Each structure stands twice: as structure tokens, then as C-alpha cells.
Amino acid sequence: MTGGAHFRQAVFWVGLYAALALAPLALALAGYDRPARPFWVEFGVGLGFVGLSMMALQFVLTARFKGIAAPFGTDAMLQFHRQAGLVACAFVAGHVLVLIAARPGYVAFFDPRVNLMRAGALVTVLLALAGIVGLTLLRKRLRFPYEWWRLTHGLLSLLVILISLAHVQMVGRYVSTVPKRALWAAMCLGAMSLLLYPRLVKPFLARKRPYRVVDVKPETPRVWTITLEAEGHEGLRFTPGQFAWLTLGGSPFALKQHPFTFASSAEQRGRYSFTIKELGDFTSKISSVAPGTRAWLDGPHGAFTPGTGASALVLIAGGIGVTPMMSILRSMKDRGDTRPATLIYGAGSEAMIAFRAELEALAQAATFKFVPVVENPGEGWQGERGVIDDALLTRHLPPDDGKVEYMICGPDAMMDAVELLLIKRGVPMRRRHSERFNIA
Ligand SMILES: Cc1cc2nc3c(=O)[nH]c(=O)nc-3n(C[C@H](O)[C@H](O)[C@H](O)COP(=O)(O)OP(=O)(O)OC[C@H]3O[C@@H](n4cnc5c(N)ncnc54)[C@H](O)[C@@H]3O)c2cc1C
């Protein structure tokens, strides 16, 4: 897909998001003919409506719909989910605070002596909101395991939406007619059911499409390549640069699902390799996965793919960020695609350059330039050293005819620096593609 098409798609989705976030407010006001209340009371109510609809939309953002993620990239979309979620929580909390400030009598809603169930529900919502925000911001510091965080996050969000929906229906002021009530309920329940789509529907469909681990081999210290083969079906098709959610073990419904980029050629249908760096509990056990182990793939996902109109590719990788570049280069080789490509690949030491022999062999072709950059090289190292900076780019970037595309993947600090350098060089956004493995 071209950059322009992605841009149009992005504008469409952002417009749709804004329209859907405001739709419940418009719906509430449609046909509303009761006397107006003071401005701050109505404002507080408005915050609640928009906050709740944004919360419902959060479920759409994480349902792994390929069309929505395509123009932005999965990492950017999950970042948006995170920021929009914080804004939605602020709106819902603001709803309570503004209403109480405008009419202190509303404090009675929290009084169990007045109405035990209502007070209990409201306190539960506020605690759940605090839990969602607190755990999201402090997960890493608290060392809370990712899978448990994801489960807790989903359950608390469900709780908030359900209680808020009941609250809207019980207050009833702006949803007094049956069609309005039904529409509200359908919107919230529809959005919530999306939580089940990737967790239940997709694994259910995947159970007839198992894979089997056929090989696990070391690449560099603490980096392993695991290879899977489709079992009893033809496998999936992906575009180089995309990723899949990998589940290992007997059931596709397992809680542990991790995203990994395809490292193999997209021309190799039915056999897929992923190169994985040891980081935490799941990745540290990859080396001990036995051949024959069942595996499941949910994919392909992601938009980290070069445009079809690129005249040349510049691939800039750091560490394990080399995996999508390998898939791109291997696919180009298998397709006989001879467009010029340059790989600038930063690694901590010579021993940490994965696929070195393969890349050096590829570099025998006149159309591929391999530039390893070693941060702390040994004595005999003849190549580039240090980090990827402007001078290094000047030495190695090919001439830019306005159609060269740049793919960047690596640690956050490296990506921030390289993105800035490319912006300074005038490379427009539509020709810069970035993928961050660190999404939360
Ligand atoms: C689009 C994408 C492509 C990726 N491709 C590769 C790749 O090719 N090779 C590679 O080595 N790594 C890749 N990663 C990173 C990889 O997914 C994480 O390193 C891995 O999930 C860590 O799991 P862990 O339990 O070992 O580590 P933990 O210590 O549990 O997690 C470390 C960090 O990884 C992230 N993470 C953990 N579990 C999940 C999960 N289930 N889903 C999403 N994120 C999670 C969280 O940010 C967490 O803080 C990719 C990530 C993304 C988003």
C-alpha cells in the first residue's frame, strides 16, 4: 500500500473514532426536552458520557482488527489505546468530581445508608478505575507479570463498563426512551464482546490450524531461532515485516500469547521462523522448547512493511530489531527482487551480530550493502564502531531520489535518535516506517 493510501485510511479511522466517542452525547441530547440545569452539572454529565463511550471504544482498539492497525502500526495503535484510556479514566473521574463540586448534595450517592447497592457500585467503579490506571503506569516498577496485568486490566475494564452502563440506565435522565436505552446497552455490550474476540473466538478458529516446533537453534548469546511448520494445513501468508502472536503448548486458549516478527522469507509458505531474544519468563524458556511441541499463530498483524513503490530500502536495526529486516531481505532474495537495499545494524559486540554469515554472503550481491555497527568491538574489528549517528548515516545512506523507504526497528533510544536524524534529513513520515517491540 502507498503512503497516501495509508494517510487517507488514518484520517478515516481518526474521524470515525471522534464521531463514535461523541455519538452517545449527541444521542443523549437528541429529543431531550427537560429543563436545563446549571452549566457545570450538564458539563459533568457530558464528561461521563464521553468518558464511557471512549472506554467502550478501547475494546475496539485491542480487538486486533487488521484494518484499523494497518495505517498506524500496531505499536502506535497500542500507544493510542494507552493514552486514550488514561483520558477516558480522567473523564469518568472528572464526571464524579465536577458533579459533586457543582451540586455537593450528590455526595449522598456514596452514602451506603441512603442506597447500599448504588454506593457500593460507585465505590467499586472508582476503585477499579484507580486499579486500571495504577497498574498500567506502575506495572513494570511493581514487576507485575504482563499476562496477569493483561487479564486484570480486561476484567477491571469490563467491571467499569458494566457498572457504568447500569448507572446510565438507572439515572435515566438522558436515556429515558426505550430505543435510547437499547442503543446504549447495545453499544456497550457490543464493544465489550470484542474482548472475547481475540481471547475466545480467534483461538477457537485457530484450533484447526495447529503448528509444530521443528527446530530451536542458537543465533548469538541469549538469542534463539525457533522454527514452526503448519500441521495439516497450508499455513498463513504474511508480508515481510509483519508479526504474529505465538502460543506454545497444547491449547490455543492459553493465557500466554506473545508477539514475534516473522524472520523467515514470506515465500516459504507453511514454515516460519522467529528469532527471539531472552528477556523475561516466556522468552527465557525458548531454548528449552522441545521439537514436536504444539504451537499456535494468530496473524499476520502489523504494518511495518515497505511500500510497493519504494525504489530502494534502507533498513536500520538495533539488536533484536533485525528480525523484520531478515524477513524483508530473505523475501527479496527469494523473489529475485534486485532493488538496492542497505542494512545498518547496531549490535553491542561482534558476538551479538545475529545472522552475520548470512548477511555477509548476501552482501556479495552488488545491490545489498551490509553495515554492521559495533558499540564495543574487540581489537581486530575493522568496521563501524560506536552508535548510529549522523556522520555514519552520511557515510552509508544511498542517494535519495524521493522514493527510498526507511525501516527502523530497535531499542527505544536508538529509534528516537535515528527518527530524529531522518527527520532532519527531510525524510517525510510516509517514507519512514518504525516498529517498537517495547509496547508498554
Ligand atoms: C510487534 C512486536 C514484534 C516483536 N517481535 C519480536 C521479535 O521478533 N523477537 C523478539 O525477541 N522479541 C520481539 N518482540 C518483543 C517480545 O514480544 C517480548 O520481548 C516478549 O513478549 C517478552 O516476553 P517475556 O515474558 O519473556 O518477558 P517479560 O519480562 O514478561 O516482558 C518484557 C516486556 O515485553 C512485553 N510483553 C511481555 N509479554 C507480552 C505479551 N504477551 N504481549 C505483548 N507484549 C508483551 C511487555 O512490554 C513487557 O514489559 C516483539 C514485540 C512486538 C510488540
Side-chain angles (χ1 to χ4, degrees):
M1 195 179 283
T2 63
H6 269 159
F7 182 72
R8 281 191 295 280
Q9 264 195 16
V11 170
F12 169 77
W13 285 117
V14 171
L16 189 64
Y17 180 87
L20 289 174
L22 293 173
L25 194 58
L27 180 73
L29 293 175
Y32 179 75
D33 54 8
R34 292 171 67 176
R37 292 177 294 179
F39 170 79
W40 287 108
V41 173
E42 301 296 0
F43 181 76
V45 172
L47 280 180
F49 273 115
V50 178
L52 181 54
S53 58
M54 282 178 76
M55 284 212 163
L57 284 170
Q58 291 291 89
F59 292 87
V60 182
L61 296 177
T62 50
R64 299 191 195 163
F65 290 125
K66 293 176 187 171
I68 303 181
F72 308 101
T74 306
D75 52 350
M77 216 193 54
L78 289 178
Q79 278 305 329
F80 179 74
H81 168 80
R82 184 183 164 97
Q83 306 305 337
L86 293 174
V87 172
C89 287
F91 277 14
V92 174
H95 164 69
V96 176
L97 294 176
V98 171
L99 280 178
I100 289 178
R103 276 212 180 141
Y106 283 137
V107 173
F109 276 38
F110 289 90
D111 189 340
R113 291 164 305 179
V114 179
N115 184 329
L116 180 63
M117 237 180 62
R118 183 175 65 191
L122 291 180
V123 171
T124 306
V125 158
L126 292 183
L127 288 178
L129 279 177
I132 292 173
V133 174
L135 284 178
T136 299
L137 298 179
L138 300 174
R139 175 181 66 81
K140 284 192 179 165
R141 216 174 298 164
L142 296 174
R143 297 175 185 269
F144 195 49
Y146 185 88
E147 286 78 16
W148 287 107
W149 167 76
R150 202 165 62 175
L151 186 68
T152 318
H153 187 75
L155 291 176
L156 288 178
S157 308
L158 272 180
L159 192 68
V160 169
I161 297 254
L162 278 175
I163 296 180
S164 305
L165 182 58
H167 170 67
V168 170
Q169 303 278 1
M170 282 160 85
V171 172
R173 186 178 176 96
Y174 286 91
V175 290
S176 47
T177 63
V178 174
K180 276 190 181 183
R181 283 174 185 265
L183 211 61
W184 250 110
M187 269 182 341
C188 289
L189 295 175
M192 281 188 320
S193 66
L194 294 178
L195 192 63
L196 306 181
Y197 176 67
R199 312 274 177 268
L200 290 180
V201 180
K202 282 199 149 195
F204 181 77
L205 297 175
R207 79 201 191 290
K208 293 222 169 99
R209 297 175 65 80
Y211 293 80
R212 195 163 286 281
V213 174
V214 291
D215 188 39
V216 179
K217 63 169 186 166
E219 291 296 347
T220 59
R222 298 164 57 86
V223 173
W224 303 83
T225 291
I226 180 167
T227 302
L228 314 180
E229 272 181 9
E231 215 178 45
H233 57 100
E234 71 286 5
L236 52 81
R237 278 193 192 288
F238 70 92
T239 305
Q242 286 190 300
F243 72 94
W245 294 86
L246 170 68
T247 305
L248 290 174
S251 162
F253 294 95
L255 191 57
K256 276 189 188 287
Q257 257 194 348
H258 292 259
F260 295 107
T261 305
F262 293 97
S264 46
S265 163
E267 294 300 299
Q268 216 179 47
R269 185 101 191 254
R271 189 179 164 93
Y272 309 94
S273 70
F274 300 90
T275 297
I276 296 177
K277 181 180 171 182
E278 290 180 17
L279 196 69
D281 55 343
F282 180 80
T283 48
S284 300
K285 291 189 195 113
I286 287 294
S287 58
S288 54
V289 174
T293 302
R294 267 274 162 99
W296 311 89
L297 291 180
D298 170 9
H301 292 283
F304 185 62
T305 53
T308 44
S311 61
L313 294 181
V314 172
L315 314 173
I316 306 178
I320 198 62
V322 74
T323 54
M325 315 309 183
M326 288 313 295
S327 181
I328 291 169
L329 292 168
R330 286 167 169 165
S331 305
M332 285 176 81
K333 180 172 175 247
D334 287 352
R335 290 171 182 168
D337 182 343
T338 53
R339 283 178 298 171
T342 303
L343 172 64
I344 300 176
Y345 174 15
S349 67
E350 286 151 87
M352 287 159 84
I353 305 175
F355 311 110
R356 184 171 174 182
E358 185 179 346
L359 289 166
E360 284 173 352
L362 280 176
Q364 299 302 316
T367 51
F368 175 56
K369 181 174 177 186
F370 174 41
V371 185
V373 184
V374 180
E375 198 167 355
N376 301 302
E379 277 191 3
W381 177 251
Q382 304 280 322
E384 292 287 1
R385 56 182 64 216
V387 294
I388 301 170
D389 59 14
D390 198 39
L392 186 132
L393 292 184
T394 304
R395 283 197 291 283
H396 295 290
L397 288 188
D400 192 332
D401 62 356
K403 288 188 185 161
V404 179
E405 298 209 0
Y406 299 77
M407 318 285 299
I408 313 155
C409 185
D412 283 342
M414 174 225 127
M415 293 191 61
D416 292 344
V418 170
E419 280 169 359
L420 207 64
L421 290 173
L422 292 180
I423 291 168
K424 283 191 185 147
R425 284 171 176 263
V427 178
M429 202 167 92
R430 65 173 194 286
R431 294 196 283 121
R432 275 185 281 118
H433 309 270
S434 297
E435 179 96 294
R436 288 176 193 256
F437 287 175
N438 180 15
I439 48 177

